[in-house]
Amino acid sequence: MAIASNIRFYRKREGITQIELAEKLNISIATLRRWEAGETAPNGTRIKELANVFNVAPEDIVTENTGEKPSEVYSGKTENNTGMLIFEGDGTKIELPPTEKGYELFNKLIDNLINKHKN
């Protein structure tokens, strides 16, 4: 599973232990271990949090590494200098206000991206 191996890869690249990452995300170590084992997967909100911790695009967490850097295909950002949430991919750019509804829609976009790459 791409997500599991990507979480493990980026965590190790950053020199963060499982315990440290679990604490940063405010989740249990058991949850993180299940993610890294591929037993379960984080939701869209957690994908964004992981991306922020690792300083990568959310797509880099969910996309199978095929030699092509995922963020060159999709460049999802949590916000730009105006505070707007931005999602870019497949030639589409969507800007959302940083409101509860904006974050909800942004999470749906990330979840759709995750599902697209699972298939």
Side-chain angles (χ1 to χ4, degrees), residues 30-49:
T31 295
L32 181 61
R33 286 183 177 148
R34 285 193 297 273
W35 290 354
E36 287 194 7
E39 296 171 9
T40 61
N43 65 24
T45 300
R46 294 298 188 184
I47 294 289
K48 289 188 325 187
E49 292 172 359

Side-chain angles (χ1 to χ4, degrees), residues 59-97:
E59 295 76 26
D60 292 338
I61 303 293
V62 302
T63 306
E64 189 79 34
N65 185 356
T66 61
E68 177 178 34
K69 189 171 183 337
S71 59
E72 292 173 359
V73 178
Y74 297 97
S75 60
K77 303 172 187 167
T78 54
E79 56 186 60
N80 65 9
N81 58 1
T82 65
M84 294 292 285
L85 302 169
I86 296 180
F87 181 88
E88 293 179 70
D90 293 338
T92 303
K93 179 177 180 179
I94 300 171
E95 292 191 31
L96 301 165

